[in-house]
Amino acid sequence: MIKVRVELRENSYEIRIGQGLLPHVGLWLKKKGFSGKTVIITDSNVRPLYAAALERGLADAGFKVTVFEIPAGEEQKTLTTAGQLYQLLAEAFAERTTLIIALGGGVVGDLAGFVAATYMRGVPLVQVPTSLLAMVDSSFGGKTAIDYGSLKNMVGAFYQPKLVVADVDTLKTLPKIELANGMGEVIKHAVIRDKGFFNFLRKNMAGAMAYDTKTLKKIVEKNARIKAPVVATDEKESGLRTLLNYGHTVGHAVEALSDFQIKHGQAVAIGMMAAAKLAQRLGFLAEKKVKQMEELILAAGLPVNLPDLDQIEKETLLELIKHDKKVRDGKIRFVLIKAIGNAFISDKITPELIGEVLFDGKHT
Ligand code: NAD
């Protein structure tokens, strides 16, 4: 088993990565001093596959376990579902010390995290991610949220888990499109921070997309090692952590404009390519590197260009970009790369420039 520590003073915690880990979570939590009631929050796809192994280990370690299941899907990341979970927690007489365990993808993790952060002003949280995206991104770093109307992640809290357990065996049942979705963030981490990892991905993407467990384990570990120190340096996203938004300024706008028909990882992939082309235009990135990025993104089954231009209206897209959460004093804080592995924030990028690379030679 691999352990990566997220250093946040009294809020520090470990990410444990490996195979066959679910049955051990109970004992680990007992050793950490937890006892009594625990509530597993999971979704309708993940529960039948993985809840029993986790539950058994918790029961063997002396925990009283209750399982709350929500239907799978982003539509559940709402205040209404959070309200239903508060109600169930109250009915189960959950206390300040009751552990909430999020077992599932990023939707379960964000929602259960938000509920844990707010129920009784905060109960302990453990993340057990089962999607690649959740393992490499959403399960650690402390961002929890729900969507509000059409506004994604609009209401939330920074709330760190006590432990994260990524059992890569669970990825075997993850649909291919979800594997690709997570790979968007994986490629992003490599592109902004780690040239060696970028080259590793170029060699091993085919294996990873064929569910090779050893490769996936390496990928999850490497991502934790890249993101953990960034989060530790900048817990609440005032500086360094902004780099993690590489590809996201354009990505969020594409995602919103498609009414979330385009998945996050796909939208980020399109955004990463746009950012790479901008870096090339500004003389930072050689054409060869842009090409390598394109090949890697395609190998992960992700798009490199905007889809069906009939649906994507240039002005609307650029307007959405202007209103991104990351815009400050009217200036886009755009993440660019100087080279593979070396990202920085530029305020020189205008919506017009973005439009030029995104709609290069295409009419709208
Ligand atoms: P998801 O939770 O909807 O999971 C994707 C699908 O895969 C779901 O149908 C789920 O039931 C299924 N699934 C998950 N694990 C499985 C497994 N092992 N086997 C079979 N099916 C499985 O989506 P996601 O992509 O994991 O996460 C997306 C969410 O994460 C979004 O809401 C996004 O806003 C959020 N997010 C949060 C952060 C953060 O820092 N908090 C970062 C990135 C994304």
Side-chain angles (χ1 to χ4, degrees):
M1 182 178 57
I2 299 146
K3 294 181 186 176
V4 179
R5 211 172 148 72
V6 183
E7 285 294 347
L8 289 165
R9 298 160 304 276
E10 67 280 9
N11 292 329
S12 300
Y13 53 94
E14 260 176 18
I15 306 167
R16 298 188 178 178
I17 302 159
Q19 293 178 252
L21 304 187
L22 293 183
H24 303 287
V25 176
L27 200 58
W28 292 339
L29 291 173
K30 188 178 170 189
K31 281 188 184 156
K32 284 189 174 295
F34 294 106
S35 61
K37 289 177 192 160
T38 178
V39 170
I40 298 173
I41 298 179
T42 186
D43 76 17
S44 48
N45 290 335
V46 176
R47 183 184 190 170
L49 296 167
Y50 302 113
L54 185 61
E55 232 181 310
R56 225 176 298 121
L58 285 160
D60 287 350
F63 287 93
K64 185 176 178 302
V65 193
T66 314
V67 183
F68 295 161
E69 177 188 314
I70 57 165
E74 179 77 27
E75 310 76 53
Q76 294 302 318
K77 245 178 78 171
T78 60
L79 210 44
T80 308
T81 312
Q84 287 162 357
L85 291 170
Y86 295 142
Q87 181 65 31
L88 289 169
L89 284 166
E91 285 168 11
F93 301 105
E95 301 152 3
R96 263 258 166 84
T97 51
T98 301
L99 261 175
I100 289 187
I101 304 181
L103 173 71
V107 167
V108 164
D110 275 14
L111 175 70
F114 178 74
V115 167
T118 47
Y119 185 76
M120 289 188 166
R121 298 198 187 88
V123 296
L125 168 71
V126 172
Q127 291 277 4
V128 183
T130 60
S131 71
L132 181 64
L133 182 127
M135 288 186 194
V136 301
D137 197 2
S138 62
S139 65
F140 62 103
K143 283 190 186 178
T144 73
I146 52 165
D147 304 332
Y148 191 74
S150 60
L151 302 170
K152 251 187 81 96
N153 299 327
M154 204 54 184
V155 178
F158 281 100
Y159 194 66
Q160 302 293 344
K162 301 291 180 200
L163 178 70
V164 180
V165 180
D167 185 337
V168 291
D169 279 343
T170 61
L171 295 176
K172 282 180 194 146
T173 53
L174 190 70
K176 186 78 146 235
I177 188 161
E178 300 298 345
L179 193 67
N181 192 38
M183 220 46 100
E185 301 292 343
V186 168
I187 295 172
K188 178 199 77 181
H189 285 145
V191 167
I192 61 168
R193 294 300 270 180
D194 196 324
K195 189 174 143 195
F197 183 45
F198 180 80
N199 289 329
F200 172 88
L201 290 175
R202 288 181 64 220
K203 279 200 199 93
N204 294 285
M205 187 53 81
M209 291 310 290
Y211 295 86
D212 178 66
T213 308
K214 218 173 125 217
T215 309
L216 289 171
K217 190 157 71 180
K218 187 87 207 145
I219 286 176
V220 173
E221 177 195 355
K222 200 66 205 169
N223 274 272
R225 294 202 191 283
I226 292 172
K227 184 176 166 182
V230 174
V231 170
T233 316
D234 180 19
E235 186 181 358
K236 306 232 163 123
E237 197 169 309
S238 50
L240 186 63
R241 197 165 172 171
T242 309
L243 299 182
L244 296 175
N245 290 313
Y246 182 69
H248 281 60
T249 305
V250 171
H252 282 148
V254 171
E255 216 179 343
L257 202 62
S258 78
D259 208 13
F260 299 96
Q261 294 312 301
I262 297 179
K263 284 189 154 288
H264 183 71
Q266 297 171 325
V268 168
I270 294 166
M272 286 195 289
M273 278 317 297
K277 286 176 193 162
L278 284 167
Q280 185 188 355
R281 274 196 178 208
L282 298 178
F284 291 118
L285 208 58
E287 193 185 346
K288 188 175 145 207
K289 293 291 162 191
V290 179
K291 194 88 201 126
Q292 283 179 359
M293 260 183 77
E294 188 170 283
E295 282 162 10
L296 184 59
I297 289 172
L298 288 171
L302 291 165
V304 288
N305 287 312
L306 281 178
D308 192 355
L309 285 170
D310 292 344
Q311 283 174 24
I312 308 265
E313 225 268 323
K314 189 172 177 179
E315 293 316 316
T316 323
L317 185 71
L318 299 186
E319 205 48 42
L320 277 169
I321 288 171
K322 275 188 210 161
H323 292 106
D324 189 77
K325 268 186 272 180
K326 286 3 179 236
V327 174
R328 251 193 226 166
D329 305 327
K331 282 196 171 151
I332 302 177
R333 303 184 76 234
F334 200 89
V335 187
L336 281 180
I337 44 172
K338 282 197 177 105
I340 300 286
N342 185 357
F344 70 104
I345 298 162
S346 165
D347 60 7
K348 302 273 183 297
I349 303 297
T350 60
E352 290 68 33
L353 263 175
I354 298 173
E356 279 175 31
V357 295
L358 267 177
F359 293 88
D360 191 14
K362 293 161 189 154
H363 303 287
T364 56

